[in-house]
Amino acid sequence: MFITFEGIEGAGKSTAQRLLADHLQNKGYTVCTTREPGGCSLGRRLRAVLLDARTTGLRSKAELFLFLADRAQHVGEVIRPALDEGQIVLCDRYVDSTVAYQGYGRGMDTDQLVAVNNLAIGGLWPHLTLLLDLPPEMGLIRAGQRNKEEGTVISEGRFESESLTFHTRVREGYLERAAGEPDRFAIIDASCPPEDVLLQCVSAVEAKLREFGRVVE
Ligand code: T5A
């Protein structure tokens, strides 16, 4: 089963991914945790370019194709092989990030973005997308503090430095996509403590596992 985490900066995706992976592994599932950009070796090099605040003047189309290159390689090298082995794949960001950031954030045509993404992923859409939702003001504070603590304000700060209106558009884009695909998306209230975020994720994942006849009690 293929599960993705989505949401604005600092929503708590990486934290929820880690907690959910532990929970599922304790139940006996084999789990592959990965992320975009940077879930494969090519992707790690692309990530350094894409997230570094010193990467200036990058055209929106060039940015798009770098994310797509990362995704195409990542699907082929990591995600499909793990799914073929029957693992549960937990991926931090995927196609919906491109539609939300490059589409709603940068203003690119969202239908075109879905079409080029479909080419990159070869039709491999997630079974479930956990959308961690919270106000951008809150997410940006969390992400800013984390980057300061980890010393990544410059090396990973290019998107965090976008305006609040950009991040508000991204959030609205995510919510619109979730409204359009209610079977795939579960909206998680990410403003509460990590343990409560985990409980909401577990309930959405168990419902999906049940649908697939893969629930372990
Ligand atoms: N992007 C990406 C695009 O524009 N297009 C694309 O196609 C793709 C794939 C990736 C950037 O690239 C853009 C979007 C992004 O701007 P990234 O650094 O990989 O950047 O983004 P993430 O790793 O997803 O990091 P985020 O900044 O979004 O943060 P997370 O993972 O949502 O949050 P997390 O778990 O690191 O938590 C942040 C801080 O908050 C705390 C944590 O301890 C941490 O300090 N925290 C909580 N505090 C209180 N309550 C909770 N529930 C908390 N959960 C976490």
Side-chain angles (χ1 to χ4, degrees), residues 84-174:
D84 287 345
E85 284 175 8
Q87 299 190 39
I88 296 180
V89 174
L90 301 181
C91 186
D92 187 349
R93 296 193 182 280
Y94 194 59
V95 171
D96 298 296
S97 282
T98 307
V99 179
Y101 282 79
Q102 279 63 54
Y104 290 84
R106 300 261 190 252
M108 299 181 84
D109 183 277
T110 52
D111 289 338
Q112 277 185 358
L113 290 175
V114 170
V116 287
N117 264 287
N118 211 29
L119 181 67
I121 64 176
L124 184 67
W125 287 86
H127 299 106
L128 173 66
T129 295
L130 300 165
L131 172 56
L132 273 64
D133 180 58
L134 84 176
E137 293 86 343
M138 205 175 189
L140 287 170
I141 289 174
R142 284 188 193 168
Q145 269 166 0
R146 179 209 50 205
N147 288 356
K148 241 191 230 163
E149 279 163 24
E150 295 181 356
T152 55
V153 174
I154 304 287
S155 63
E156 299 241 323
R158 197 167 70 88
F159 284 90
E160 272 90 351
S161 64
E162 290 286 347
S163 67
L164 185 59
T165 51
F166 175 91
H167 292 289
T168 303
R169 285 199 302 276
V170 171
R171 182 197 191 189
E172 286 166 358
Y174 272 129

Side-chain angles (χ1 to χ4, degrees), residues 7-16 35-37 47 51 63 67 71 92-95 97-98 101-102 142-143 146 149 156 159-160 190-194 197:
I8 58 163
E9 312 301 301
K13 298 175 298 299
S14 315
T15 305
R35 68 171 176 179
E36 293 192 355
R47 181 181 174 94
L51 299 200
E63 180 182 87
F67 279 118
R71 185 159 300 136
D92 187 349
R93 296 193 182 280
Y94 194 59
V95 171
S97 282
T98 307
Y101 282 79
Q102 279 63 54
R142 284 188 193 168
R146 179 209 50 205
E149 279 163 24
E156 299 241 323
F159 284 90
E160 272 90 351
S191 64
C192 47
V197 171

